[in-house]
Amino acid sequence: ALGSRNTHDLRKKRLISKGVALKLIRKIHAPIGLDIKAETSTEIAISILSEIIKVFRENNEITISKN
């Protein structure tokens, strides 16, 4: 999810107060993106997509075959 760590802490508190299960809240990745010290919007986009790919592969154990 977009936002700082502080924003995410507030988000978690709001979700908990609304009765959302902690198991579901823990699935939210925040702040989103791998820490690559991104500075530009392009680098931020790459860091976000990189984290998405990382989590997807970890959850699906997908490998790319080299032909």
Side-chain angles (χ1 to χ4, degrees):
L2 290 175
S4 67
R5 284 178 180 81
N6 290 336
T7 299
H8 185 58
D9 288 340
L10 294 172
R11 178 184 302 119
K12 288 190 295 189
K13 288 177 185 175
R14 280 194 318 273
L15 291 170
I16 290 168
S17 74
K18 302 247 183 218
V20 177
L22 286 175
K23 181 179 178 180
L24 293 176
I25 294 171
R26 287 188 191 112
K27 291 183 176 189
I28 301 171
H29 293 254
I32 193 165
L34 298 180
D35 185 6
I36 62 169
K37 309 296 184 220
E39 294 180 3
T40 68
S41 57
T42 300
E43 291 170 338
I44 293 168
I46 290 169
S47 77
I48 292 169
L49 287 173
S50 296
E51 183 174 6
I52 291 168
I53 292 167
K54 178 181 179 278
V55 170
F56 180 80
R57 292 236 172 107
E58 288 172 352
N59 292 336
N60 295 290
E61 297 181 21
I62 292 176
T63 58
I64 298 175
S65 61
K66 296 180 182 178
N67 294 329

